PDB file of all heavy atoms in Angstrom:
ATOM      1  N   TYR A  28       0.809  -1.230  -0.033  1.00 93.00           N
ATOM      2  CA  TYR A  28      -0.009  -0.047   0.020  1.00 93.00           C
ATOM      3  C   TYR A  28       0.885   1.223   0.044  1.00 93.00           C
ATOM      4  O   TYR A  28       0.499   2.196  -0.727  1.00 93.00           O
ATOM      5  CB  TYR A  28      -0.948  -0.029   1.300  1.00 93.00           C
ATOM      6  CG  TYR A  28      -1.957  -1.079   1.172  1.00 93.00           C
ATOM      7  CD1 TYR A  28      -2.254  -1.829   2.278  1.00 93.00           C
ATOM      8  CD2 TYR A  28      -2.766  -1.253   0.087  1.00 93.00           C
ATOM      9  CE1 TYR A  28      -3.214  -2.805   2.361  1.00 93.00           C
ATOM     10  CE2 TYR A  28      -3.726  -2.286   0.076  1.00 93.00           C
ATOM     11  CZ  TYR A  28      -4.033  -3.021   1.134  1.00 93.00           C
ATOM     12  OH  TYR A  28      -4.946  -4.031   1.171  1.00 93.00           O
ATOM     13  N   GLU A  29       1.888   1.211   0.862  1.00 94.00           N
ATOM     14  CA  GLU A  29       2.841   2.412   0.858  1.00 94.00           C
ATOM     15  C   GLU A  29       3.566   2.598  -0.481  1.00 94.00           C
ATOM     16  O   GLU A  29       3.723   3.649  -0.968  1.00 94.00           O
ATOM     17  CB  GLU A  29       3.802   2.266   2.005  1.00 94.00           C
ATOM     18  CG  GLU A  29       3.221   2.266   3.350  1.00 94.00           C
ATOM     19  CD  GLU A  29       4.171   1.731   4.445  1.00 94.00           C
ATOM     20  OE1 GLU A  29       5.122   1.075   4.188  1.00 94.00           O
ATOM     21  OE2 GLU A  29       3.957   2.102   5.716  1.00 94.00           O
ATOM     22  N   LEU A  30       3.986   1.468  -1.013  1.00 94.00           N
ATOM     23  CA  LEU A  30       4.647   1.487  -2.312  1.00 94.00           C
ATOM     24  C   LEU A  30       3.738   1.960  -3.457  1.00 94.00           C
ATOM     25  O   LEU A  30       4.115   2.757  -4.364  1.00 94.00           O
ATOM     26  CB  LEU A  30       5.191   0.115  -2.662  1.00 94.00           C
ATOM     27  CG  LEU A  30       6.106   0.095  -3.861  1.00 94.00           C
ATOM     28  CD1 LEU A  30       7.397   0.999  -3.671  1.00 94.00           C
ATOM     29  CD2 LEU A  30       6.770  -1.320  -4.194  1.00 94.00           C
ATOM     30  N   MET A  31       2.463   1.659  -3.388  1.00 93.00           N
ATOM     31  CA  MET A  31       1.430   2.178  -4.315  1.00 93.00           C
ATOM     32  C   MET A  31       1.348   3.683  -4.312  1.00 93.00           C
ATOM     33  O   MET A  31       1.209   4.230  -5.380  1.00 93.00           O
ATOM     34  CB  MET A  31       0.096   1.493  -3.919  1.00 93.00           C
ATOM     35  CG  MET A  31      -0.955   1.749  -4.989  1.00 93.00           C
ATOM     36  SD  MET A  31      -0.622   0.806  -6.491  1.00 93.00           S
ATOM     37  CE  MET A  31      -1.136   1.943  -7.761  1.00 93.00           C
ATOM     38  N   GLU A  32       1.552   4.249  -3.173  1.00 92.00           N
ATOM     39  CA  GLU A  32       1.560   5.788  -3.203  1.00 92.00           C
ATOM     40  C   GLU A  32       2.681   6.327  -3.955  1.00 92.00           C
ATOM     41  O   GLU A  32       2.546   7.343  -4.564  1.00 92.00           O
ATOM     42  CB  GLU A  32       1.613   6.203  -1.699  1.00 92.00           C
ATOM     43  CG  GLU A  32       0.426   5.792  -0.800  1.00 92.00           C
ATOM     44  CD  GLU A  32      -0.896   6.579  -1.259  1.00 92.00           C
ATOM     45  OE1 GLU A  32      -0.753   7.774  -1.703  1.00 92.00           O
ATOM     46  OE2 GLU A  32      -1.912   5.947  -1.402  1.00 92.00           O
ATOM     47  N   PHE A  33       3.772   5.631  -3.849  1.00 92.00           N
ATOM     48  CA  PHE A  33       4.965   6.097  -4.651  1.00 92.00           C
ATOM     49  C   PHE A  33       4.846   5.816  -6.116  1.00 92.00           C
ATOM     50  O   PHE A  33       5.246   6.611  -7.016  1.00 92.00           O
ATOM     51  CB  PHE A  33       6.152   5.252  -4.086  1.00 92.00           C
ATOM     52  CG  PHE A  33       7.499   5.627  -4.739  1.00 92.00           C
ATOM     53  CD1 PHE A  33       8.163   6.820  -4.414  1.00 92.00           C
ATOM     54  CD2 PHE A  33       8.076   4.694  -5.628  1.00 92.00           C
ATOM     55  CE1 PHE A  33       9.419   7.070  -4.988  1.00 92.00           C
ATOM     56  CE2 PHE A  33       9.234   5.100  -6.275  1.00 92.00           C
ATOM     57  CZ  PHE A  33      10.003   6.271  -5.940  1.00 92.00           C
ATOM     58  N   ILE A  34       4.143   4.766  -6.523  1.00 93.00           N
ATOM     59  CA  ILE A  34       4.010   4.345  -7.901  1.00 93.00           C
ATOM     60  C   ILE A  34       2.947   5.164  -8.619  1.00 93.00           C
ATOM     61  O   ILE A  34       3.150   5.508  -9.703  1.00 93.00           O
ATOM     62  CB  ILE A  34       3.666   2.832  -7.965  1.00 93.00           C
ATOM     63  CG1 ILE A  34       4.791   2.006  -7.477  1.00 93.00           C
ATOM     64  CG2 ILE A  34       3.256   2.455  -9.471  1.00 93.00           C
ATOM     65  CD1 ILE A  34       4.396   0.520  -7.265  1.00 93.00           C
ATOM     66  N   ARG A  35       1.836   5.454  -7.876  1.00 90.00           N
ATOM     67  CA  ARG A  35       0.750   6.070  -8.620  1.00 90.00           C
ATOM     68  C   ARG A  35       1.058   7.275  -9.469  1.00 90.00           C
ATOM     69  O   ARG A  35       0.553   7.359 -10.613  1.00 90.00           O
ATOM     70  CB  ARG A  35      -0.412   6.427  -7.555  1.00 90.00           C
ATOM     71  CG  ARG A  35      -1.739   6.765  -8.289  1.00 90.00           C
ATOM     72  CD  ARG A  35      -2.847   6.745  -7.204  1.00 90.00           C
ATOM     73  NE  ARG A  35      -2.578   7.532  -6.046  1.00 90.00           N
ATOM     74  CZ  ARG A  35      -2.810   7.096  -4.828  1.00 90.00           C
ATOM     75  NH1 ARG A  35      -3.320   5.970  -4.553  1.00 90.00           N
ATOM     76  NH2 ARG A  35      -2.545   7.956  -3.819  1.00 90.00           N
ATOM     77  N   PRO A  36       1.811   8.259  -9.051  1.00 87.00           N
ATOM     78  CA  PRO A  36       2.135   9.344  -9.882  1.00 87.00           C
ATOM     79  C   PRO A  36       2.870   8.958 -11.144  1.00 87.00           C
ATOM     80  O   PRO A  36       2.982   9.808 -12.077  1.00 87.00           O
ATOM     81  CB  PRO A  36       2.979  10.212  -9.018  1.00 87.00           C
ATOM     82  CG  PRO A  36       2.659   9.851  -7.579  1.00 87.00           C
ATOM     83  CD  PRO A  36       2.452   8.454  -7.697  1.00 87.00           C
ATOM     84  N   MET A  37       3.515   7.839 -11.232  1.00 90.00           N
ATOM     85  CA  MET A  37       4.236   7.382 -12.431  1.00 90.00           C
ATOM     86  C   MET A  37       3.377   6.862 -13.570  1.00 90.00           C
ATOM     87  O   MET A  37       3.793   6.703 -14.658  1.00 90.00           O
ATOM     88  CB  MET A  37       5.209   6.345 -11.980  1.00 90.00           C
ATOM     89  CG  MET A  37       6.229   6.715 -10.898  1.00 90.00           C
ATOM     90  SD  MET A  37       7.303   5.250 -10.479  1.00 90.00           S
ATOM     91  CE  MET A  37       8.390   6.068  -9.218  1.00 90.00           C
ATOM     92  N   GLY A  38       2.232   6.569 -13.242  1.00 89.00           N
ATOM     93  CA  GLY A  38       1.237   6.050 -14.153  1.00 89.00           C
ATOM     94  C   GLY A  38       1.426   4.655 -14.735  1.00 89.00           C
ATOM     95  O   GLY A  38       1.102   4.275 -15.744  1.00 89.00           O
ATOM     96  N   ILE A  39       2.206   3.824 -13.830  1.00 93.00           N
ATOM     97  CA  ILE A  39       2.426   2.452 -14.208  1.00 93.00           C
ATOM     98  C   ILE A  39       1.325   1.601 -13.640  1.00 93.00           C
ATOM     99  O   ILE A  39       0.984   1.647 -12.512  1.00 93.00           O
ATOM    100  CB  ILE A  39       3.801   2.069 -13.575  1.00 93.00           C
ATOM    101  CG1 ILE A  39       4.936   2.886 -14.054  1.00 93.00           C
ATOM    102  CG2 ILE A  39       4.112   0.588 -14.082  1.00 93.00           C
ATOM    103  CD1 ILE A  39       6.313   2.643 -13.363  1.00 93.00           C
ATOM    104  N   PRO A  40       0.642   0.808 -14.516  1.00 95.00           N
ATOM    105  CA  PRO A  40      -0.400  -0.050 -13.950  1.00 95.00           C
ATOM    106  C   PRO A  40       0.128  -1.114 -12.983  1.00 95.00           C
ATOM    107  O   PRO A  40       1.224  -1.613 -13.186  1.00 95.00           O
ATOM    108  CB  PRO A  40      -0.978  -0.677 -15.231  1.00 95.00           C
ATOM    109  CG  PRO A  40       0.140  -0.584 -16.276  1.00 95.00           C
ATOM    110  CD  PRO A  40       0.909   0.609 -15.930  1.00 95.00           C
ATOM    111  N   VAL A  41      -0.635  -1.453 -12.079  1.00 96.00           N
ATOM    112  CA  VAL A  41      -0.311  -2.310 -10.873  1.00 96.00           C
ATOM    113  C   VAL A  41      -1.353  -3.315 -10.749  1.00 96.00           C
ATOM    114  O   VAL A  41      -2.639  -3.022 -10.803  1.00 96.00           O
ATOM    115  CB  VAL A  41      -0.021  -1.511  -9.583  1.00 96.00           C
ATOM    116  CG1 VAL A  41       0.095  -2.554  -8.463  1.00 96.00           C
ATOM    117  CG2 VAL A  41       1.095  -0.648  -9.663  1.00 96.00           C
ATOM    118  N   ILE A  42      -0.928  -4.585 -10.610  1.00 97.00           N
ATOM    119  CA  ILE A  42      -1.859  -5.720 -10.142  1.00 97.00           C
ATOM    120  C   ILE A  42      -1.339  -6.172  -8.908  1.00 97.00           C
ATOM    121  O   ILE A  42      -0.207  -6.619  -8.738  1.00 97.00           O
ATOM    122  CB  ILE A  42      -1.839  -6.885 -11.220  1.00 97.00           C
ATOM    123  CG1 ILE A  42      -2.366  -6.413 -12.524  1.00 97.00           C
ATOM    124  CG2 ILE A  42      -2.665  -7.942 -10.659  1.00 97.00           C
ATOM    125  CD1 ILE A  42      -2.274  -7.576 -13.653  1.00 97.00           C
ATOM    126  N   PHE A  43      -2.214  -6.177  -7.876  1.00 96.00           N
ATOM    127  CA  PHE A  43      -1.815  -6.596  -6.536  1.00 96.00           C
ATOM    128  C   PHE A  43      -1.864  -8.190  -6.576  1.00 96.00           C
ATOM    129  O   PHE A  43      -2.951  -8.686  -7.042  1.00 96.00           O
ATOM    130  CB  PHE A  43      -2.813  -6.102  -5.492  1.00 96.00           C
ATOM    131  CG  PHE A  43      -2.384  -4.770  -4.889  1.00 96.00           C
ATOM    132  CD1 PHE A  43      -3.259  -3.692  -4.875  1.00 96.00           C
ATOM    133  CD2 PHE A  43      -1.113  -4.605  -4.272  1.00 96.00           C
ATOM    134  CE1 PHE A  43      -2.913  -2.516  -4.350  1.00 96.00           C
ATOM    135  CE2 PHE A  43      -0.778  -3.435  -3.804  1.00 96.00           C
ATOM    136  CZ  PHE A  43      -1.651  -2.334  -3.782  1.00 96.00           C
ATOM    137  N   ILE A  44      -0.995  -8.842  -5.980  1.00 95.00           N
ATOM    138  CA  ILE A  44      -1.010 -10.279  -5.907  1.00 95.00           C
ATOM    139  C   ILE A  44      -0.812 -10.598  -4.346  1.00 95.00           C
ATOM    140  O   ILE A  44       0.323 -10.279  -3.859  1.00 95.00           O
ATOM    141  CB  ILE A  44       0.118 -11.044  -6.761  1.00 95.00           C
ATOM    142  CG1 ILE A  44       1.425 -10.366  -6.610  1.00 95.00           C
ATOM    143  CG2 ILE A  44      -0.396 -11.045  -8.194  1.00 95.00           C
ATOM    144  CD1 ILE A  44       2.553 -11.134  -7.333  1.00 95.00           C
ATOM    145  N   THR A  45      -1.717 -11.119  -3.717  1.00 91.00           N
ATOM    146  CA  THR A  45      -1.715 -11.105  -2.215  1.00 91.00           C
ATOM    147  C   THR A  45      -2.542 -12.198  -1.622  1.00 91.00           C
ATOM    148  O   THR A  45      -3.477 -12.741  -2.324  1.00 91.00           O
ATOM    149  CB  THR A  45      -2.211  -9.801  -1.674  1.00 91.00           C
ATOM    150  OG1 THR A  45      -2.203  -9.822  -0.245  1.00 91.00           O
ATOM    151  CG2 THR A  45      -3.592  -9.384  -2.173  1.00 91.00           C
ATOM    152  N   ALA A  46      -2.243 -12.622  -0.493  1.00 91.00           N
ATOM    153  CA  ALA A  46      -3.081 -13.644   0.332  1.00 91.00           C
ATOM    154  C   ALA A  46      -4.130 -12.934   1.102  1.00 91.00           C
ATOM    155  O   ALA A  46      -5.037 -13.646   1.618  1.00 91.00           O
ATOM    156  CB  ALA A  46      -2.222 -14.382   1.346  1.00 91.00           C
ATOM    157  N   LYS A  47      -4.186 -11.605   1.072  1.00 88.00           N
ATOM    158  CA  LYS A  47      -5.248 -10.843   1.725  1.00 88.00           C
ATOM    159  C   LYS A  47      -6.532 -10.945   0.851  1.00 88.00           C
ATOM    160  O   LYS A  47      -6.668 -10.328  -0.153  1.00 88.00           O
ATOM    161  CB  LYS A  47      -4.857  -9.486   2.062  1.00 88.00           C
ATOM    162  CG  LYS A  47      -3.593  -9.335   2.980  1.00 88.00           C
ATOM    163  CD  LYS A  47      -3.031  -7.993   3.050  1.00 88.00           C
ATOM    164  CE  LYS A  47      -4.007  -7.011   3.904  1.00 88.00           C
ATOM    165  NZ  LYS A  47      -3.929  -7.451   5.359  1.00 88.00           N
ATOM    166  N   SER A  48      -7.513 -11.717   1.341  1.00 84.00           N
ATOM    167  CA  SER A  48      -8.608 -12.069   0.543  1.00 84.00           C
ATOM    168  C   SER A  48     -10.003 -11.487   0.901  1.00 84.00           C
ATOM    169  O   SER A  48     -10.968 -11.632   0.251  1.00 84.00           O
ATOM    170  CB  SER A  48      -8.816 -13.603   0.492  1.00 84.00           C
ATOM    171  OG  SER A  48      -9.067 -14.143   1.804  1.00 84.00           O
ATOM    172  N   SER A  49     -10.040 -10.616   2.034  1.00 86.00           N
ATOM    173  CA  SER A  49     -11.357 -10.146   2.404  1.00 86.00           C
ATOM    174  C   SER A  49     -11.777  -9.050   1.416  1.00 86.00           C
ATOM    175  O   SER A  49     -11.008  -8.428   0.674  1.00 86.00           O
ATOM    176  CB  SER A  49     -11.162  -9.517   3.805  1.00 86.00           C
ATOM    177  OG  SER A  49     -10.415  -8.289   3.745  1.00 86.00           O
ATOM    178  N   LEU A  50     -13.159  -8.801   1.515  1.00 87.00           N
ATOM    179  CA  LEU A  50     -13.649  -7.714   0.562  1.00 87.00           C
ATOM    180  C   LEU A  50     -13.090  -6.385   0.878  1.00 87.00           C
ATOM    181  O   LEU A  50     -12.814  -5.586   0.018  1.00 87.00           O
ATOM    182  CB  LEU A  50     -15.146  -7.769   0.789  1.00 87.00           C
ATOM    183  CG  LEU A  50     -15.978  -6.691  -0.103  1.00 87.00           C
ATOM    184  CD1 LEU A  50     -15.703  -6.876  -1.648  1.00 87.00           C
ATOM    185  CD2 LEU A  50     -17.465  -6.737   0.183  1.00 87.00           C
ATOM    186  N   ASP A  51     -12.908  -6.138   2.197  1.00 89.00           N
ATOM    187  CA  ASP A  51     -12.248  -4.758   2.642  1.00 89.00           C
ATOM    188  C   ASP A  51     -10.902  -4.704   2.007  1.00 89.00           C
ATOM    189  O   ASP A  51     -10.550  -3.600   1.607  1.00 89.00           O
ATOM    190  CB  ASP A  51     -12.209  -4.704   4.154  1.00 89.00           C
ATOM    191  CG  ASP A  51     -13.617  -4.515   4.724  1.00 89.00           C
ATOM    192  OD1 ASP A  51     -14.501  -4.114   3.958  1.00 89.00           O
ATOM    193  OD2 ASP A  51     -13.714  -4.751   5.946  1.00 89.00           O
ATOM    194  N   ASP A  52     -10.065  -5.816   2.042  1.00 84.00           N
ATOM    195  CA  ASP A  52      -8.722  -5.660   1.534  1.00 84.00           C
ATOM    196  C   ASP A  52      -8.782  -5.450  -0.081  1.00 84.00           C
ATOM    197  O   ASP A  52      -8.045  -4.604  -0.569  1.00 84.00           O
ATOM    198  CB  ASP A  52      -7.962  -6.940   1.708  1.00 84.00           C
ATOM    199  CG  ASP A  52      -7.482  -7.189   3.204  1.00 84.00           C
ATOM    200  OD1 ASP A  52      -7.218  -6.082   3.818  1.00 84.00           O
ATOM    201  OD2 ASP A  52      -7.626  -8.251   3.717  1.00 84.00           O
ATOM    202  N   LYS A  53      -9.739  -6.072  -0.703  1.00 87.00           N
ATOM    203  CA  LYS A  53      -9.768  -5.896  -2.131  1.00 87.00           C
ATOM    204  C   LYS A  53     -10.244  -4.478  -2.492  1.00 87.00           C
ATOM    205  O   LYS A  53      -9.724  -3.867  -3.409  1.00 87.00           O
ATOM    206  CB  LYS A  53     -10.901  -6.961  -2.787  1.00 87.00           C
ATOM    207  CG  LYS A  53     -10.411  -8.380  -2.729  1.00 87.00           C
ATOM    208  CD  LYS A  53     -11.547  -9.270  -3.261  1.00 87.00           C
ATOM    209  CE  LYS A  53     -11.082 -10.684  -3.290  1.00 87.00           C
ATOM    210  NZ  LYS A  53     -12.159 -11.635  -3.790  1.00 87.00           N
ATOM    211  N   MET A  54     -11.208  -3.947  -1.767  1.00 90.00           N
ATOM    212  CA  MET A  54     -11.646  -2.600  -1.910  1.00 90.00           C
ATOM    213  C   MET A  54     -10.533  -1.657  -1.668  1.00 90.00           C
ATOM    214  O   MET A  54     -10.356  -0.683  -2.477  1.00 90.00           O
ATOM    215  CB  MET A  54     -12.793  -2.273  -1.125  1.00 90.00           C
ATOM    216  CG  MET A  54     -14.135  -3.015  -1.477  1.00 90.00           C
ATOM    217  SD  MET A  54     -14.659  -2.699  -3.149  1.00 90.00           S
ATOM    218  CE  MET A  54     -15.109  -0.953  -2.985  1.00 90.00           C
ATOM    219  N   LYS A  55      -9.752  -1.866  -0.640  1.00 89.00           N
ATOM    220  CA  LYS A  55      -8.633  -0.991  -0.341  1.00 89.00           C
ATOM    221  C   LYS A  55      -7.656  -1.024  -1.483  1.00 89.00           C
ATOM    222  O   LYS A  55      -7.026   0.019  -1.854  1.00 89.00           O
ATOM    223  CB  LYS A  55      -8.061  -1.431   0.972  1.00 89.00           C
ATOM    224  CG  LYS A  55      -6.924  -0.359   1.324  1.00 89.00           C
ATOM    225  CD  LYS A  55      -6.336  -0.723   2.865  1.00 89.00           C
ATOM    226  CE  LYS A  55      -5.215   0.112   3.176  1.00 89.00           C
ATOM    227  NZ  LYS A  55      -4.639  -0.195   4.540  1.00 89.00           N
ATOM    228  N   GLY A  56      -7.328  -2.228  -1.891  1.00 86.00           N
ATOM    229  CA  GLY A  56      -6.417  -2.431  -3.005  1.00 86.00           C
ATOM    230  C   GLY A  56      -6.763  -1.679  -4.318  1.00 86.00           C
ATOM    231  O   GLY A  56      -5.946  -0.953  -4.931  1.00 86.00           O
ATOM    232  N   LEU A  57      -8.014  -1.826  -4.683  1.00 89.00           N
ATOM    233  CA  LEU A  57      -8.519  -1.293  -5.924  1.00 89.00           C
ATOM    234  C   LEU A  57      -8.584   0.223  -5.958  1.00 89.00           C
ATOM    235  O   LEU A  57      -8.403   0.962  -6.773  1.00 89.00           O
ATOM    236  CB  LEU A  57      -9.757  -1.876  -6.371  1.00 89.00           C
ATOM    237  CG  LEU A  57      -9.699  -3.422  -6.754  1.00 89.00           C
ATOM    238  CD1 LEU A  57     -11.060  -3.914  -6.970  1.00 89.00           C
ATOM    239  CD2 LEU A  57      -8.784  -3.514  -7.997  1.00 89.00           C
ATOM    240  N   THR A  58      -9.064   0.683  -4.695  1.00 89.00           N
ATOM    241  CA  THR A  58      -9.274   2.181  -4.509  1.00 89.00           C
ATOM    242  C   THR A  58      -7.967   2.863  -4.311  1.00 89.00           C
ATOM    243  O   THR A  58      -7.884   4.058  -4.532  1.00 89.00           O
ATOM    244  CB  THR A  58     -10.225   2.488  -3.359  1.00 89.00           C
ATOM    245  OG1 THR A  58      -9.746   1.805  -2.121  1.00 89.00           O
ATOM    246  CG2 THR A  58     -11.609   2.044  -3.605  1.00 89.00           C
ATOM    247  N   SER A  59      -6.916   2.143  -4.059  1.00 90.00           N
ATOM    248  CA  SER A  59      -5.653   2.758  -3.854  1.00 90.00           C
ATOM    249  C   SER A  59      -4.924   3.090  -5.238  1.00 90.00           C
ATOM    250  O   SER A  59      -3.954   3.737  -5.424  1.00 90.00           O
ATOM    251  CB  SER A  59      -4.677   1.895  -3.106  1.00 90.00           C
ATOM    252  OG  SER A  59      -4.282   0.739  -3.850  1.00 90.00           O
ATOM    253  N   GLY A  60      -5.556   2.567  -6.318  1.00 90.00           N
ATOM    254  CA  GLY A  60      -5.138   2.806  -7.644  1.00 90.00           C
ATOM    255  C   GLY A  60      -4.682   1.639  -8.456  1.00 90.00           C
ATOM    256  O   GLY A  60      -4.292   1.759  -9.642  1.00 90.00           O
ATOM    257  N   ALA A  61      -4.743   0.492  -7.870  1.00 93.00           N
ATOM    258  CA  ALA A  61      -4.352  -0.772  -8.621  1.00 93.00           C
ATOM    259  C   ALA A  61      -5.384  -1.083  -9.731  1.00 93.00           C
ATOM    260  O   ALA A  61      -6.587  -0.846  -9.581  1.00 93.00           O
ATOM    261  CB  ALA A  61      -4.204  -1.975  -7.696  1.00 93.00           C
ATOM    262  N   GLU A  62      -4.994  -1.654 -10.864  1.00 93.00           N
ATOM    263  CA  GLU A  62      -5.771  -2.042 -11.835  1.00 93.00           C
ATOM    264  C   GLU A  62      -6.567  -3.375 -11.683  1.00 93.00           C
ATOM    265  O   GLU A  62      -7.649  -3.601 -12.181  1.00 93.00           O
ATOM    266  CB  GLU A  62      -5.017  -2.141 -13.185  1.00 93.00           C
ATOM    267  CG  GLU A  62      -4.566  -0.795 -13.829  1.00 93.00           C
ATOM    268  CD  GLU A  62      -5.703  -0.003 -14.280  1.00 93.00           C
ATOM    269  OE1 GLU A  62      -6.599  -0.553 -14.804  1.00 93.00           O
ATOM    270  OE2 GLU A  62      -5.519   1.180 -14.120  1.00 93.00           O
ATOM    271  N   ASP A  63      -5.978  -4.220 -10.864  1.00 94.00           N
ATOM    272  CA  ASP A  63      -6.573  -5.504 -10.511  1.00 94.00           C
ATOM    273  C   ASP A  63      -6.025  -5.991  -9.134  1.00 94.00           C
ATOM    274  O   ASP A  63      -5.033  -5.456  -8.734  1.00 94.00           O
ATOM    275  CB  ASP A  63      -6.253  -6.544 -11.698  1.00 94.00           C
ATOM    276  CG  ASP A  63      -7.338  -7.600 -11.835  1.00 94.00           C
ATOM    277  OD1 ASP A  63      -8.079  -7.763 -10.860  1.00 94.00           O
ATOM    278  OD2 ASP A  63      -7.265  -8.343 -12.862  1.00 94.00           O
ATOM    279  N   TYR A  64      -6.662  -7.068  -8.720  1.00 94.00           N
ATOM    280  CA  TYR A  64      -6.377  -7.638  -7.370  1.00 94.00           C
ATOM    281  C   TYR A  64      -6.559  -9.144  -7.446  1.00 94.00           C
ATOM    282  O   TYR A  64      -7.695  -9.626  -7.675  1.00 94.00           O
ATOM    283  CB  TYR A  64      -7.350  -6.930  -6.441  1.00 94.00           C
ATOM    284  CG  TYR A  64      -6.981  -7.290  -4.835  1.00 94.00           C
ATOM    285  CD1 TYR A  64      -6.374  -6.277  -4.098  1.00 94.00           C
ATOM    286  CD2 TYR A  64      -7.270  -8.513  -4.241  1.00 94.00           C
ATOM    287  CE1 TYR A  64      -6.142  -6.450  -2.771  1.00 94.00           C
ATOM    288  CE2 TYR A  64      -6.919  -8.694  -2.920  1.00 94.00           C
ATOM    289  CZ  TYR A  64      -6.327  -7.667  -2.250  1.00 94.00           C
ATOM    290  OH  TYR A  64      -6.163  -7.899  -0.872  1.00 94.00           O
ATOM    291  N   LEU A  65      -5.408  -9.850  -7.396  1.00 94.00           N
ATOM    292  CA  LEU A  65      -5.452 -11.336  -7.484  1.00 94.00           C
ATOM    293  C   LEU A  65      -5.041 -11.986  -6.291  1.00 94.00           C
ATOM    294  O   LEU A  65      -3.979 -11.687  -5.673  1.00 94.00           O
ATOM    295  CB  LEU A  65      -4.565 -11.748  -8.696  1.00 94.00           C
ATOM    296  CG  LEU A  65      -4.586 -13.186  -9.097  1.00 94.00           C
ATOM    297  CD1 LEU A  65      -5.970 -13.633  -9.609  1.00 94.00           C
ATOM    298  CD2 LEU A  65      -3.524 -13.401 -10.266  1.00 94.00           C
ATOM    299  N   VAL A  66      -5.904 -12.808  -5.715  1.00 94.00           N
ATOM    300  CA  VAL A  66      -5.664 -13.507  -4.455  1.00 94.00           C
ATOM    301  C   VAL A  66      -4.925 -14.825  -4.611  1.00 94.00           C
ATOM    302  O   VAL A  66      -5.288 -15.618  -5.446  1.00 94.00           O
ATOM    303  CB  VAL A  66      -7.023 -13.728  -3.649  1.00 94.00           C
ATOM    304  CG1 VAL A  66      -6.830 -14.456  -2.406  1.00 94.00           C
ATOM    305  CG2 VAL A  66      -7.733 -12.419  -3.513  1.00 94.00           C
ATOM    306  N   LYS A  67      -3.859 -15.063  -3.764  1.00 92.00           N
ATOM    307  CA  LYS A  67      -3.183 -16.326  -3.801  1.00 92.00           C
ATOM    308  C   LYS A  67      -4.005 -17.381  -3.073  1.00 92.00           C
ATOM    309  O   LYS A  67      -4.711 -17.040  -2.035  1.00 92.00           O
ATOM    310  CB  LYS A  67      -1.836 -16.229  -3.070  1.00 92.00           C
ATOM    311  CG  LYS A  67      -0.927 -15.044  -3.594  1.00 92.00           C
ATOM    312  CD  LYS A  67       0.321 -14.872  -2.535  1.00 92.00           C
ATOM    313  CE  LYS A  67       1.103 -13.704  -2.919  1.00 92.00           C
ATOM    314  NZ  LYS A  67       2.175 -13.561  -1.868  1.00 92.00           N
TER     315      LYS A  67
END
């Protein structure tokens, strides 16, 4: 999440790959600027 703040101004698309599978985590990931969210 912290790194996403650094990446976002660069305009590079991001896909989160994570074990955090709750709906709240997905919403946080997508609203932080990621293009997609894939659960391990």
